[in-house]
Amino acid sequence: MAADPARNPFRPTAGAEPPQLIGRAGLLDEFAYGLRIRSGAPGLLTIFTGARGIGKTVMLGEAEDAARSQGWAVVSETATRGFLGRIGESMRVHAEELGGGPPGRRITGISAAGFSLTTELPPEQQTGWRQVGEQLLRLLDERGTGLAITLDEIHGADRDELAQLAASVQHFIRDGLPIALVFAGLPAAVSDLLNEGVATFLRRADRIDLHAAAVDEVEASYRETFTGLTHELEAGLVRTAAVSTGGYPFLIQLIGYHLWQLAEAADAPLTAESVDLALAAAHRRNTRVVIGAALSTASPKDLDFLRAMAEDDGPSSTADIGQRLGNQKNTIGNYRARLIDAGLVQPAGRGVLDFAIPGLREHLRRS
């Protein structure tokens, strides 16, 4: 479908819905099927993992849209301190809207003041949280729908809150109530979180690791979207732009955005030089928004490790990194674990690491 030439269709901001979900076909099929049968379907418990900017938050948004389209109530949260209390408040509001009687009095036995926003709910509020959730789910079940909770950045979640959430959701599922829980987080950190035992129930979740889209798919999407331009982009330049994205969703949006911006201001088709300007602008912004933020918590020693990796044109062996740094094996192992948790690097085989963020190698070589 051709885009409106008066409006740039690309949205290079965190979590914004792109004009097309490239390379994501079928990922929510199990979730959508679960929404139809409403209880006990494995897809109703899903975790999306992937590097920064790979589109995890977008997938949460897609899951929320799918749930709303089936009439489900949706609670969307980020796993910052107090998320469990905020979910409780949202459930209470939904239940009040569905129940009878004046606001604040529709749920018996629960204080109208709601839930505290502290890290861990006290025992009496844990009971109240579960009671509100159960009452809401029964109201929704009577209407043939359910409740979908999405939780972003699970890798940063307080362990006690997460354990409480998992225990309550497990209780709801055991009672056959219509509940869906969809998470998103950085891959290695999520793995560590699930292996810690605080939420072993969540290991049953359908884990979907998001990867870069195929360049050919990006090219096809660009070609379709750019038909909305007054002056169509030449096929070879579309290919150049697609290759420059590396299939990385945030860069797909950034590059598309800058190309569209240049093209709508031009009174002739874009040249190769103009496209190069758009690509450079997009990569500079990617450096500021994604790479800069990712490196903000890296220590000087972390940066030394990353620069040692950047000497290679592809994946690096930890043995080579250690040799370049002159560090002992256990020290290298500590840096490796910390940088994987930070989402900066990722395992690429036994004893091999690669950068998790496109453009990070080039940025380190320039800095």
Side-chain angles (χ1 to χ4, degrees):
M1 181 174 64
D4 178 357
R7 185 170 182 265
N8 192 325
F10 294 96
R11 297 291 178 265
T13 55
E17 184 176 351
Q20 292 184 353
L21 276 181
I22 305 170
R24 302 291 188 246
L27 291 186
L28 284 171
D29 285 356
E30 284 296 325
F31 178 77
Y33 179 69
L35 293 174
R36 292 198 298 275
I37 66 174
R38 298 193 307 114
S39 179
L44 291 179
L45 192 61
T46 296
I47 300 178
F48 287 105
T49 63
R52 286 182 173 85
I54 204 69
K56 300 184 295 298
T57 304
V58 168
M59 293 307 298
L60 291 185
E62 290 294 310
E64 291 163 12
D65 289 347
R68 289 190 185 98
S69 73
Q70 297 298 315
W72 282 49
V74 172
V75 174
S76 175
E77 268 299 337
T78 300
T80 52
R81 181 182 176 90
F83 74 82
L84 192 63
R86 296 192 300 272
I87 291 172
E89 282 294 302
S90 295
M91 291 194 306
R92 186 172 66 84
V93 170
H94 278 299
E96 286 179 351
E97 290 173 350
L98 289 172
R105 299 181 182 274
R106 296 171 184 161
I107 301 173
T108 59
I110 305 298
S111 167
F115 298 91
S116 68
L117 301 184
T118 55
T119 298
E120 186 175 359
L121 296 180
E124 67 276 9
Q125 286 202 4
Q126 288 181 40
T127 303
W129 196 102
R130 185 175 294 183
Q131 183 182 345
V132 169
E134 186 170 321
Q135 199 154 354
L136 170 60
L137 288 167
R138 293 197 185 285
L139 288 169
L140 292 167
D141 195 25
E142 291 171 4
R143 290 160 172 77
T145 62
L147 171 67
I149 299 172
T150 66
L151 190 61
D152 205 358
E153 299 184 14
I154 185 181
H155 49 272
D158 177 89
R159 294 342 189 218
D160 289 332
E161 284 190 273
L162 187 64
Q164 289 175 26
L165 176 63
S168 294
V169 170
Q170 186 173 20
H171 170 81
F172 298 150
I173 292 173
R174 219 168 29 230
D175 286 352
L177 295 171
I179 181 77
L181 192 56
V182 187
F183 298 107
L186 298 173
V190 167
S191 294
D192 289 345
L193 179 66
L194 299 183
N195 289 333
E196 284 179 7
V198 296
T200 51
F201 158 69
L202 297 179
R203 294 181 195 169
R204 304 177 197 170
D206 187 7
R207 179 164 172 169
I208 300 174
D209 294 313
L210 299 177
H211 300 285
V215 169
D216 286 349
E217 289 183 297
V218 179
E219 181 181 7
S221 175
Y222 271 178
R223 188 177 296 115
E224 178 181 350
T225 305
F226 288 141
T227 58
L229 291 169
T230 302
H231 302 287
E232 196 167 340
L233 199 60
E234 191 266 319
L237 297 179
V238 172
R239 178 68 183 180
T240 297
V243 170
S244 187
T245 69
Y248 183 59
F250 188 60
L251 271 175
I252 292 171
Q253 295 301 303
L254 269 179
I255 287 173
Y257 177 87
H258 284 286
L259 282 172
W260 190 282
Q261 188 177 38
L262 276 181
E264 67 182 359
D267 55 8
L270 292 183
T271 63
E273 291 75 17
S274 297
V275 169
D276 286 342
L277 285 174
L279 300 185
H283 282 280
R284 283 195 301 272
R285 185 168 181 80
N286 183 60
T287 297
R288 292 195 305 273
V289 173
V290 178
I291 296 176
L295 290 175
S296 63
T297 58
S299 70
K301 292 291 187 182
D302 291 334
L303 291 172
D304 288 342
F305 187 101
L306 293 170
R307 290 191 181 101
M309 280 184 63
E311 292 182 25
D312 297 311
D313 293 329
S316 305
S317 76
T318 51
D320 287 345
I321 298 168
Q323 192 171 39
R324 289 165 191 163
L325 296 175
N327 286 332
Q328 296 179 349
K329 186 175 181 180
N330 62 334
T331 305
I332 294 300
N334 290 337
Y335 288 129
R336 174 189 180 277
R338 187 162 66 243
L339 292 170
I340 288 175
D341 284 348
L344 290 165
V345 304
Q346 59 192 7
R350 185 174 177 83
V352 179
L353 294 173
D354 202 358
F355 290 106
I357 303 174
L360 180 53
R361 185 193 318 275
E362 292 73 20
H363 171 74
L364 291 163
R365 286 177 172 178
R366 291 193 300 268
S367 62

